[in-house]
Amino acid sequence: MPQLRWNDTDFLNFFAVEPTVEDYGVSHNYEVERDGIRLLFTLWQLESVIQASMFRGKSDNVLFTFAAYVRGEARFIHDVRGRYIDFEDCIIAPSRFWYIQAGNPFDQQRFPISVTIRLACDPDVRISFADYECRT
């Protein structure tokens, strides 16, 4: 799997919290809470995989979780629309290890349709699909 193209300083500025980093920088875990919604965002840079899990407050019951294989890059953007991170050319999956059953998500012939995921944290946590692309 390719390594994620991202800037850890941009992520630090965006989330405004120090990440919990797994040994050898395998994963970076960011946790933010806004208006009673808690986001746990994990990035596996060596696998080019991200995962977002949303919770209500301090509850351990997850509202929703998804993973994404990022075939493009992660770009921090600060413009008139606000501050957000775009993850380009993503394949959405239920978990980080979904590829074991589904095949290589970085194979654009096998998975020609992808989306751009947009993540914002201020003033509220928002996750949206900003764009999609079909390579046929």
Side-chain angles (χ1 to χ4, degrees):
M1 291 187 181
Q3 190 167 344
L4 181 65
R5 294 184 311 257
W6 70 302
N7 182 313
D8 59 338
T9 303
D10 285 346
F11 274 64
L12 184 61
N13 290 333
F14 174 75
F15 284 107
V17 296
E18 190 77 26
T20 302
V21 180
E22 194 175 325
D23 289 343
Y24 308 106
V26 172
S27 70
H28 291 70
N29 300 285
Y30 299 88
E31 190 168 352
V32 295
E33 187 171 342
R34 303 285 190 274
D35 200 24
I37 298 294
R38 183 169 47 100
L39 170 68
L40 174 58
F41 186 86
T42 304
L43 179 147
W44 290 275
Q45 67 182 4
L46 300 176
E47 300 170 26
S48 201
V49 175
I50 60 172
Q51 181 170 299
S53 300
M54 302 271 288
F55 303 85
R56 188 172 311 286
K58 300 296 181 199
S59 173
D60 289 332
N61 296 324
V62 67
L63 295 172
F64 77 89
T65 296
F66 73 90
Y69 299 89
V70 185
R71 300 188 302 196
E73 66 181 308
R75 294 185 317 119
F76 172 66
I77 300 168
H78 187 181
D79 62 19
V80 295
R81 297 171 291 180
R83 299 173 68 243
Y84 54 91
I85 296 178
D86 273 354
F87 298 90
E88 300 169 338
D89 194 11
C90 294
I91 301 299
I92 307 298
S95 74
R96 172 183 172 201
F97 298 108
W98 172 76
Y99 73 92
I100 293 170
Q101 295 175 328
N104 181 3
F106 296 94
D107 179 350
Q108 294 182 351
Q109 296 297 318
R110 184 175 174 98
F111 297 97
I113 299 175
S114 66
V115 297
T116 294
I117 298 170
R118 180 163 291 161
L119 172 64
C121 286
D122 293 312
D124 299 313
V125 174
R126 295 180 314 280
I127 300 173
S128 61
F129 300 125
D131 197 8
Y132 77 94
E133 186 172 337
C134 181
R135 299 170 194 239
T136 56

